[in-house]
Amino acid sequence: VLKLFAKQRGIYRNVNGFFGGINLSIMLIFLLQKHPNYSLSQLLIEFFQEFHSFNWSGFLALGPIEHHVELEC
C-alpha cells in the first residue's frame, strides 16, 4: 500500500533520492515492534503520524543497540 502511494506521487525509488522498498520495510518493522497488535489501517495511520514528526537528525533502531568491538586490520 505504501509503495503504491509513493509511486503514484512520484516519491518512490532510491535512485531518485526517495525511499525505496527496503527503507519502507524497515520503517514498517519499526512500527510493528512498537504496535504488534495494530490492524493494517491502524498501521497506515500510525506510519504517517509517526514519521511526520520523526526526528530525522537521529536514527531509527529496530531493537536494542548492541555495542561491538572494532577489529584492527
Side-chain angles (χ1 to χ4, degrees):
V1 173
L2 289 170
K3 180 179 176 180
L4 179 63
F5 172 86
K7 277 188 166 186
Q8 289 177 339
R9 287 156 180 79
I11 56 171
Y12 180 81
R13 291 191 69 199
N14 291 335
V15 175
N16 298 334
F18 299 108
F19 289 138
I22 191 69
N23 307 104
L24 292 175
S25 296
I26 290 170
M27 294 163 76
L28 283 172
I29 291 168
F30 174 77
L31 288 178
L32 283 168
Q33 287 181 338
K34 289 176 67 174
H35 310 288
N37 297 319
Y38 272 22
S39 67
L40 177 58
S41 59
Q42 289 173 309
L43 280 172
L44 286 173
I45 292 168
E46 184 65 22
F47 180 89
F48 290 106
Q49 289 177 343
E50 174 80 26
F51 295 114
H52 170 73
S53 60
F54 189 77
N55 178 10
W56 292 105
S57 64
F59 61 92
L60 186 136
L62 294 180
I65 298 172
E66 296 180 18
H67 298 281
H68 64 278
V69 177
E70 291 189 30
L71 301 175
E72 294 182 29
C73 296

